[in-house]
Amino acid sequence: MNKLLSTLVLACLCQVVVAQSPANEGGPLASTNATGATAAVAAPATVAGSITGTVVDAATQQPVPYATIALVNPTTNQPVDGTMADDKGKFTLEKVASGSYKVAVSFIGYEAKTLDLVISDKNASVDLGKIGISSTAKALNEVVVEGQRAMIEEKVDRTVYNAENDESNKGGDAADVLRKVPMLSVDLDGNVSMRGSQNIKVLINNRPSTITAGSVADALKQIPADMIKSVEVITSPSAKYDAEGSAGIINIVTKKNTLQGGSLSVDTGVGLRGANLGLNGSYRTGKMGFSLGGFGRMGYNTPGSFENEQTTLVDGVQNVIRQEAETSNNMMFGRYTLGWDYDINEKNYLNGSVQYGVRNWHANQDDLLSQFFQGGSLLSTSLRDVETTDNSGTVDVNLNYTHTFDKPQHEFSVLTQFSRNNRTNDFLNLIYSGDAEAIERRLKNINESFNQESTVQLDYANPIAKNQMVELGVKQITRQVTSDYETLTAGDTGPFEEVAGNVFNYNQDVTAGYLSYTLTTVNNYSVKAGARYEYTTINAKFKEVEEDVSIPSYGVLVPSINLSKRLKDGNTVKLAYNRRIQRPSLEFLNPNVQNPNQALPTVGNPELDPEYTNNYELSYSTYFKTTSLNFSTFVRNTNNSIQAVRKPMGDGVLVTTFSNIGQEEAYGGSIFGSINLSNKLTLNGGTDIYYAVLNNNAEDPAQQASNSGVVYNVRAMGNYNLGQGWGIQGFGFYRGSQVQLQGSRGGFGIYSLNLKKDFNEGKGSIGFGAENFLSQTMRMRSELNTPTFSQTSTNVMHNMNFKVNLSYRIGKMTDGPRRRGKSVNNDDLKGGGESGAQAGAMPQAATAAPQGGGMPQGAAPRGGATGSAPQGVRPGGAPVQSPATAPAVEAPATPADTTVANPVQADSPQQQNLTGRWKGTVGGAELNLDLVADDTTLTGTMQTPMGQTPITDGMVMGDEFTFNLSFEGNDILHKGHIAGDRITLKAEFQGQPMEITLERVQ
């Protein structure tokens, strides 16, 4: 064990210098200094003698085993040879050429010692005898632990934002988190787009939930930021994923705890606009583990206002409606999870969970004044108060079984899920009399709905060769969606009477099968090709209408291919193509007329067809020294694109519905970069920009519409470690105007500054945040223009916020099994449109401010904060110092091996188990190995109190793995084996076999 540590010290960083063995006798010697620089040292003409000695503790005279000995040229101060002491402190350097040398002796916890000597014909063999080195307690105490964990990582098929490292996310929701993720844009209502498209699928822990089936925006408000571990952006999904989601997939990974023992943590915060409280407990014993967590958030004090003017031209008559109102929102969200997992035996595993999410939302438009003009004359004025109530509850139940075979990555799994969302979406209008002194009448709309899904999925993976993988599977999704709605009226007092209503039932079955093949070549090419076939059956009907909606069944074949090439320097080029389908969700189908603002009703279209998209992508990832960069370009074309369409009515009303427009295209790219300016300061940022083209190809000239323009997003973030537990972070984001079929939606910007202090040995932390603090309000302007109507609306939001967060953890956990279970992925249904409505209810005008009459949705935007990045890896896989033990010594700039497309599933248990920190203790000193397994690629760093170095050429092969610790062509191959939470490393140095065992600590 100690021999391996000495080998690593020799091959990586050491307190003095590290010697490399000569490539061949009599030739030039390749030498490496402490920073990884290599120099060519001419070998003397003769090889004369040897050097021997014994390293002992100067105080106790006991041997110091496995100390490092470097032979240094005193003229160049470069090492020319080196070795290590054996378990009795003895060492020998053979075939030493004649000349003058320095012998540098070092070991962890001791002061380095240098001796001078001369090798000559008369003094060919030098015995240094006992070399006493002094122990020093200061050696370790004075090591400066610095560095920050990267918040953005580039992996083979996805970009990962490590949200748990960003302390400013506390007190926010998932929408606040997604604003910081490259390639994503989140508007102030919480609607998410990827590279300009809202046709995405959001998964939670690699599986869907009915809370996302209707509206992504509403779903994100239910997920507190405190429970999010990371966000994965998948722009080119393989055949294994459902065909749904034109732009790609967002996977939100929540925090899990599978440790032994028990612990409890509490997170709370209070601010000017909201407060949050979270509890998270875990218990694990033996083969079984439990977790129970809950986070809740309350929003308040969110006033605002809006102005709206819309002009319609019907039969040559011009009608104008002008509106203004004061707005306010009050909300409460929560999500609670009970998790369970059980290792039946070594090859069989069960895991399950029950999650419940709750949403309570109350939005108000006070003194909504509407004025109706016709031909320039004021014809009528109305005043009303509008109250919208949007409450829902979601339950997700999962039970999954996984069986592994003797061959690594050979496995079979059965995944099941039941999910149901119940929602109540109501509005109430209090309409005042002409003198505005009394209520004249009342108008109410009630919409009770549910969205229920049952899913069974079978997956099989078989590595038919070392560099080949075949994956296949089948899946059945059964959906039942119902919306029961009615409109009622009443006088100023008395009961309500129904004037309209119906029940809309929408049943959908999706049967799917897929086949995928992956090949990785020895010259670092990787090909992953596959195809998925999905057949959709739909039955839609109204309760009160004899003739049902006729929607034919349809099938679709979805091919995908991903190519990648890992270049010699570790950089990566990727090329991808895939076809996608986007089915309309209930948000777009629901025929219930939602009109809390009578001038802006919204109604769904039950006869919508799915849309089909072709995606092409080319990307390049590179890094140098402390900087990583990712460039990508894409082309996306969509047929039958589902878009919001506005139609004018004779009384000046502007009705919003949804339609399959003819075509939508986007051409663009993104740039993202991260740089570590020092061990304390990290900056990252980027931009997404594309050119959008929309055309509805309508035959009727009066209905024809087209639009085009450039859309962009810019984001930036900076972290600075102040030391002694203090950290500061700034964040900023700006989104430009969004191009729509009939106009544009205004841009906006948000920013924040956060300060954090850890205390009580990291068990607790307190943070202070300021958001949008330079102005009390934010204005957002949107415009619509067609030959038959125009609309201008302005939203004003009070989103300045100051907050304080407090976190504390009690209890202590020890390592337990970390076997990862699979789960269902229903990457399905188009949702999260610009209205922000959810399953079972049509979008309210109150949530569609940019189209006029809307009020701001969601709490004040948040952003920014302190945090650190995943240990041992920069974005793109480049090595960084770990915050736990990394000393302030610059690691060699050897590029880490980051991206090779994988012949193995990324979520296979063996590979996932490798990711984390592994610790071993040698001679009282600590050795840490930080690993990140991404498919078959392994990256990370090896670290001792004397420094760290990146691993290169890492590869995972089931429960076996290999990597090199290398310096400019001199590589030490390490072979490893994982068994539970223990890995065994074997290496050979100068013909001597070595072995060490490390335990998982993170």
Side-chain angles (χ1 to χ4, degrees), residues 954-972:
M955 181 173 292
V956 183
M957 299 157 289
D959 54 3
E960 306 289 336
F961 61 95
T962 62
F963 61 80
N964 282 321
L965 288 173
S966 59
F967 281 94
E968 300 292 337
N970 294 310
D971 295 339
I972 300 177

Side-chain angles (χ1 to χ4, degrees), residues 25-75:
E25 252 180 70
L29 304 179
S31 63
T32 307
N33 60 22
T35 62
T38 302
V41 180
T46 60
V47 177
S50 63
I51 303 172
T52 59
T54 303
V55 183
V56 299
D57 185 298
T60 65
Q61 293 299 302
Q62 295 298 312
V64 178
Y66 313 115
T68 301
I69 294 89
L71 188 63
V72 181
N73 184 324
T75 303

Side-chain angles (χ1 to χ4, degrees), residues 170 226-227 255-257 262-268 277-283 292-295 762-765 806-813:
K170 292 183 179 297
D226 308 68
M227 67 186 298
K255 296 175 182 176
K256 296 180 179 179
N257 200 330
S263 72
L264 178 68
S265 63
V266 58
D267 297 281
T268 185
L277 175 64
L279 294 173
N280 190 14
S282 299
Y283 180 77
L292 177 62
F295 293 89
K763 292 183 178 179
S765 68
L806 178 66
S807 301
Y808 197 79
R809 183 185 72 253
I810 59 176
K812 185 177 181 180
M813 305 291 286

Side-chain angles (χ1 to χ4, degrees), residues 710-936:
V710 176
V711 182
Y712 66 93
N713 308 297
V714 180
R715 61 178 57 81
M717 183 185 300
N719 303 304
Y720 190 76
N721 185 347
L722 300 173
Q724 297 183 339
W726 288 94
I728 190 170
Q729 182 183 62
F731 171 77
F733 172 84
Y734 183 80
R735 192 183 82 170
S737 177
Q738 302 292 291
V739 175
Q740 299 180 336
L741 177 64
Q742 296 171 311
S744 63
R745 191 173 190 181
F748 68 94
I750 57 176
Y751 52 90
S752 67
L753 189 64
N754 294 268
L755 183 68
K756 178 198 171 188
K757 167 64 176 175
D758 293 327
F759 60 89
N760 199 7
E761 298 180 347
K763 292 183 178 179
S765 68
I766 185 169
F768 308 91
E771 300 164 343
N772 309 300
F773 48 85
L774 298 179
S775 176
Q776 292 188 3
T777 61
M778 177 187 296
R779 301 178 67 88
M780 186 172 177
R781 180 184 174 91
S782 298
E783 295 182 354
L784 300 174
N785 290 286
T786 75
T788 57
F789 74 87
S790 65
Q791 181 194 46
T792 301
S793 62
T794 302
N795 258 6
V796 178
M797 289 153 282
H798 296 254
N799 60 353
M800 176 189 288
N801 186 36
F802 300 93
K803 62 180 182 178
V804 178
N805 292 310
L806 178 66
S807 301
Y808 197 79
R809 183 185 72 253
I810 59 176
K812 185 177 181 180
M813 305 291 286
T814 58
D815 278 331
R818 296 200 175 198
R819 195 171 182 181
R820 175 168 175 166
K822 294 187 174 182
S823 56
V824 167
N825 301 335
N826 286 356
D827 318 322
D828 210 326
L829 295 182
K830 177 185 177 86
E834 58 195 19
S835 61
Q838 187 168 322
M842 288 311 303
Q844 306 168 31
T847 66
Q851 286 74 51
M855 68 182 72
Q857 295 293 298
R862 292 172 173 75
T866 58
S868 43
Q871 294 177 356
V873 178
R874 291 192 192 104
V880 296
Q881 295 187 354
S882 162
T885 57
V889 180
E890 182 179 355
T894 306
D897 182 1
T898 57
T899 49
V900 179
N902 136 33
V904 191
Q905 290 181 344
D907 59 351
S908 66
Q910 293 89 342
Q911 293 183 57
Q912 287 298 323
N913 278 352
L914 273 176
T915 299
R917 165 160 289 193
W918 305 83
K919 181 192 294 185
T921 302
V922 180
E926 183 179 291
L927 176 138
N928 288 301
L929 181 62
D930 292 311
L931 297 177
V932 177
D934 180 15
D935 299 336
T936 56

Side-chain angles (χ1 to χ4, degrees), residues 395-409:
V395 61
D396 297 316
V397 181
N398 295 272
L399 182 61
N400 310 304
Y401 165 76
T402 302
H403 173 76
T404 60
F405 298 86
D406 291 334
K407 184 165 54 174
Q409 282 81 52

